[in-house]
Each structure stands twice: as structure tokens, then as C-alpha cells.
Amino acid sequence: MSTQAPIRRMTVPQIRAKKGADPIVSLTSYHAHTAAIVDKFADFILVGDSLGMVMHGMDSTIGVPLDLMIMHGRAVVRGTKRALIVVDMPFGTYEESPNMGFRNAAKIMKETACGAVKLEGGARMAETIRFLSERGIPVMAHIGLTPQSVNTMGGFKVQGRDEAAWKTHIDDARAVAEAGAFALVVEGVVEELADKITAAVDIPTIGIGASKNCDGQILVLEDMLGLNPRVPKFVKVYGDLGPAIERAVAEYTEEVKTRTFPGEDNVYR
């Protein structure tokens, strides 16, 4: 009989308790096999709507449907055992009203078995965050450069270049924290502003293009593995998998054309 303790998933209260203490590690993942690798290291895994661009070749995240998020969310949950799984709510599934947000968030959680959802927006989404949180749905908030607002922002633009706008971002952070968000993604803001946001709220901040002083960090997995030809400045490429995959495919192609693959070890007798 095994005496090994069962692996337990990271919980929302455990993530929140890391505020100002142990740095939070996070990456995105969209499928079971990469999620199983990330699961060994990450505190939480985000099934981000960035999958529309990374996996499906979309120009932005705007066109990602709810069912696609659910399908990828299921795969990531199946491939993991210990990390908290957070699934993005795509554009158009929560902005209309708190009731709409609850229906779609509940659908995501019931059909994927994830542990939380993430939605974009600051003070304007506080009512919805409170509505969901009070009804048993943990919410991770997201402020700063919010990709679902790319059309109103006029592109993927760094926020906080104008110090006069800092108060708005800090007020957004306080609003979502007070509404019940358990953590806050801070994306694409100048470093000094990210530091002020982190100091202003009692929930963990998760930086992406923000500051090393955030309570945690997140990157898109494919970006940091060198699988995307163009990445933002804030990405550090930790692997060079793109060229490695190309070399492997080229070698396979050559062996097929010269009939050296399959070899003796690859056929049945």
C-alpha cells in the first residue's frame, strides 16, 4: 500500500496568501501535453484567450468563442494535477451584465473543472467581479494593456507613459480588489506604475510586461519557447524550439524522400 501523499491542486486562498511573500510562477498553456510539463513548476496555469492568436492564427483575441476556451480548458485540466487552472472569459461573454457574466463563468467552470476565471477591465467590471465572487466563482482581474480592448486602445500600446493617467490605473486595481478579485494581472504598464499598483492592493499582482516587483509573473508559453517569430519586448526567450522543430521536420522530409525512413526499427516483421 502506497504511503505517498496525494497531489493536491493549488487553491485560490493559497495563491492569494502569496501576496508579498513567495513569488508566484505562472505560464499559459492550451493543450494537455504542454500543461503536464508546466504543471511541475507553475502555481497557476492560465488558459488564455491568447490561444486565438497563438494556436488559431487570429489577429487578435476578439474573435475567440466561448466553446473554444472550454475545449482548451478541458485539455489543460486533464493534463495537470497540481496547478490552479484559470480560464479566460472571452470578449463578449461578460461585459453586458453581471448576470451574463455569471452564466458564462459558471458554464466554463462546470464544463472544464477549472478553479477560477479571468476577465479584463478595472472599475467598470467591479460590479461583475463582486457578483461572481459572492456566488462562488473565483475571479482573477486584468488591467493595464487589456488585449480585448485593442480596438479602443488603437493597438497593443504600453500603458502609463503619461503619469497623469496613473491614478486611473491605480483606482482600477483598488476597485477590482475591493470587489473580491483574488489576484490581478497587470499587463503592459511602465515599471514605476506597476510598483505603485502592487503596493496599493492587498491581492497578488501578476506581471506581464510590468515589473519584477509584482507578486508573480506570467508569460505566454510559446513566446518564451521561441515558437513565435515576433514577441513583445517584455518577453525573454528561454528556449529556441522553433528552429529545432524546423530542423527535425527537414530531416524527416529528407529521409522520407530518400526512403531511409522508416528503417528496420520502425517496421513490423
Side-chain angles (χ1 to χ4, degrees):
M1 183 176 178
S2 175
T3 58
Q4 187 175 0
I7 298 174
R8 298 187 183 278
R9 283 198 184 274
M10 186 72 71
T11 65
V12 164
Q14 287 174 321
I15 295 292
R16 181 162 185 161
K18 288 177 175 288
K19 172 71 178 180
D22 186 29
I24 298 166
V25 177
S26 178
L27 286 164
T28 66
S29 186
Y30 316 121
H31 26 58
H33 62 282
T34 57
I37 297 170
V38 175
D39 190 48
K40 299 174 183 179
F41 306 96
D43 297 305
F44 77 88
I45 295 174
L46 175 65
V47 185
D49 59 358
S50 51
L51 63 84
M53 303 171 74
V54 175
M55 300 293 297
H56 298 276
M58 298 179 183
D59 292 330
S60 74
T61 62
I62 301 298
V64 176
L66 182 64
D67 287 345
L68 193 61
M69 295 304 306
I70 290 172
M71 181 183 73
H72 285 279
R74 285 173 179 160
V76 170
V77 170
R78 282 195 295 262
T80 57
K81 296 180 180 179
R82 59 171 300 278
L84 175 73
I85 308 302
V86 182
V87 177
D88 256 340
M89 297 192 70
F91 178 73
T93 63
Y94 60 92
E95 295 90 340
E96 182 180 320
S97 68
N99 284 320
M100 179 194 199
F102 177 81
R103 284 194 302 273
N104 288 318
K107 181 179 176 67
I108 290 171
M109 295 196 70
K110 288 170 68 175
E111 296 189 18
T112 68
C114 69
V117 299
K118 180 174 77 64
L119 56 80
E120 295 182 7
R124 64 185 174 83
M125 295 311 305
E127 181 184 2
T128 295
I129 292 170
R130 180 174 290 106
F131 192 87
L132 270 58
S133 299
E134 289 175 348
R135 287 158 179 79
I137 297 179
V139 179
M140 179 176 288
H142 183 160
I143 66 168
L145 195 171
T146 47
Q148 292 176 12
S149 301
V150 62
N151 290 323
T152 55
M153 286 184 171
F156 298 96
K157 296 182 177 180
V158 174
Q159 302 295 297
R161 297 280 197 198
D162 180 3
E163 193 170 340
W166 285 15
K167 183 179 184 301
T168 298
H169 293 290
I170 295 169
D171 287 347
D172 278 342
R174 286 175 171 150
V176 298
E178 291 169 4
F182 73 90
L184 173 62
V185 172
V186 181
E187 179 173 359
V189 302
V190 297
E191 185 177 37
E192 297 86 350
L193 174 57
D195 290 344
K196 288 184 177 296
I197 290 171
T198 298
V201 296
D202 62 358
I203 59 174
T205 55
I206 311 298
I208 176 167
S211 168
K212 66 181 179 181
N213 296 316
C214 289
D215 298 295
Q217 301 292 330
I218 188 168
L219 285 175
V220 171
L221 181 65
E222 285 75 6
D223 286 352
M224 59 92 75
L225 291 179
L227 288 172
N228 287 334
R230 295 181 63 188
V231 296
K233 174 185 176 180
F234 60 73
V235 174
K236 179 177 179 179
V237 179
Y238 287 86
D240 199 20
L241 270 60
I245 292 172
E246 187 171 341
R247 287 193 298 270
V249 173
E251 184 178 351
Y252 165 73
T253 300
E254 176 65 19
E255 291 192 1
V256 169
K257 288 184 176 295
T258 58
R259 297 190 186 280
T260 55
F261 175 84
E264 281 297 315
D265 293 337
N266 311 118
V267 295
Y268 299 100
R269 300 295 184 188

